[in-house]
Amino acid sequence: MKLLVVEDEKKLLENVAAFLERKGFLVDTAQDAEDGLDLALERNYDCIILDVILPGMGGYEFCRFLREEIGSDVPIIIITALGEIDSRIEGLKIGADDYLPKPFDLRELEARVRALIRRNQLRSEPVIRYGPLTYDSRNCVFSCSKKELSLTSRESSILELFLRNPGTVFSREEITDKIWETGFESRSNIVDVYIRYIRRKLEAAGILDIIQTVPGKGYGLRRLRDDG
């Protein structure tokens, strides 16, 4: 998942970017709105983290331009030291999706980013198909040939992560960070155990070898061959 962080405080910008990169995100940064807009227009982002007080064009103008002039629906989180309710309402009125006053905990920022991305994905992709596997995100149901798979919530979360990122190999640490609660200290084989459970249930439904193991790297969905 790719993020854009627009923040003029260099130290905060570096801390936010470094933290989110450790959590598995790809992060681009800008210290003013003009550079941030150039990036936003050139690349597709899953979420934009935007400061309000910026050199030149402010964060509100940035957000308004993306929404009204470009028609972009990329999720936007506004971060600012302006904590008054009127400022928050203004940001939401012009199209921001969330508002986080400074100072903030980086873990809360990560949680809000993931929630917005998940909400946006559910809205844009209610049903995902990958080979014989179908995922109805509205009801959180996986199925094969219209037969529902019986998965636990943790198994479903892992399989959804793979399904939304086909061909991407996730390390055990990345899977733990994305699926388990912040601060969870996993046993060394907890991810392996869940992958084994998921494979058994997929194989019972007739879905074979769809999850690949890459030695020394981790797990992910195999890319489907183009038979056309």
Side-chain angles (χ1 to χ4, degrees), residues 21-183:
E21 285 173 348
R22 289 197 301 271
K23 295 300 181 179
F25 294 98
L26 298 175
V27 183
D28 287 337
T29 62
Q31 287 189 259
D32 61 61
E34 285 76 10
D35 289 344
L37 268 179
D38 287 342
L39 289 169
L41 296 177
E42 290 173 2
R43 305 172 187 178
N44 293 320
Y45 291 102
D46 295 290
C47 186
I48 295 176
I49 300 166
L50 177 66
D51 189 19
V52 168
I53 301 177
L54 295 165
M57 177 190 290
Y60 291 152
E61 290 76 15
F62 180 110
C63 183
R64 185 180 292 110
F65 183 83
L66 280 184
R67 294 293 191 244
E68 297 180 3
E69 300 298 326
I70 305 302
S72 172
D73 62 355
V74 59
I76 297 175
I77 298 178
I78 285 182
I79 56 172
T80 181
L82 299 175
E84 295 82 359
I85 187 63
D86 288 345
S87 180
R88 299 187 190 191
I89 291 174
E90 176 65 18
L92 296 173
K93 276 184 176 180
I94 62 175
D97 298 275
D98 202 354
Y99 196 110
L100 191 59
K102 298 178 183 177
F104 52 83
D105 190 306
L106 291 173
R107 295 171 300 175
E108 181 179 1
L109 176 62
E110 180 201 1
R112 288 173 181 260
V113 167
R114 292 192 186 281
L116 280 181
I117 292 175
R118 188 180 306 114
R119 187 190 313 162
N120 195 52
Q121 289 174 332
L122 294 179
R123 184 171 62 244
S124 61
E125 297 181 274
V127 177
I128 302 173
R129 293 178 176 83
Y130 194 78
L133 186 63
T134 299
Y135 176 55
D136 180 351
S137 61
R138 294 163 299 191
N139 300 305
C140 298
V141 171
F142 286 91
S143 60
C144 175
S145 301
K146 298 184 179 181
K147 182 178 180 180
E148 183 177 338
L149 302 180
S150 179
L151 301 175
T152 67
S153 60
R154 198 81 72 186
E155 291 165 356
S156 293
S157 295
I158 294 172
L159 192 53
E160 180 183 357
L161 173 65
F162 292 169
L163 192 60
R164 292 192 182 278
N165 301 275
T168 299
V169 177
F170 293 94
S171 69
R172 292 168 178 81
E173 292 75 17
E174 288 173 331
I175 295 171
T176 299
D177 285 344
K178 294 175 186 297
I179 302 302
W180 274 263
E181 295 80 7
T182 299

Side-chain angles (χ1 to χ4, degrees), residues 185-202:
E185 296 183 5
S186 69
R187 302 194 309 271
S188 60
N189 68 336
I190 188 67
V191 171
D192 304 320
V193 170
Y194 273 93
I195 294 295
R196 187 161 61 247
Y197 291 160
I198 295 169
R199 277 179 169 150
R200 286 176 181 171
K201 293 179 179 181
L202 290 175

